[in-house]
Amino acid sequence: MKIGQVKKWNAERGFGFIATDGHDVFCHVSALPFGTKALEVGMHVGFEIEISSRTGKPQAANVRTV
């Protein structure tokens, strides 16, 4: 599990980016725990990285607050 910090979050559109190891990782609202609809900028989170079947790029999965 990687640890990162929420860099940007657009609650209206349901996605944002998590900064980790000098890279930004895309995060969709569907990667958040059930009932969680948004993250706050600056929040520390733990997550896994998976490859998007749609874009072929890395994205966050199983995001949890730490």
Side-chain angles (χ1 to χ4, degrees):
M1 179 175 284
K2 292 197 171 267
I3 303 293
Q5 187 173 7
V6 179
K7 182 174 182 180
K8 294 181 183 179
W9 187 262
N10 185 328
E12 191 173 293
R13 296 187 69 191
F15 72 89
F17 293 90
I18 300 170
T20 182
D21 299 333
H23 301 294
D24 293 344
V25 179
F26 176 79
C27 179
H28 189 264
V29 69
S30 64
L32 304 180
F34 181 76
T36 305
K37 296 186 181 189
L39 296 174
E40 293 184 27
V41 173
M43 180 183 284
H44 291 314
V45 293
F47 62 97
E48 297 172 12
I49 293 183
E50 66 181 18
I51 302 300
S52 169
S53 60
R54 184 173 158 236
T55 65
K57 296 181 180 181
Q59 67 181 24
N62 301 320
V63 179
R64 299 182 184 104
T65 58
V66 279

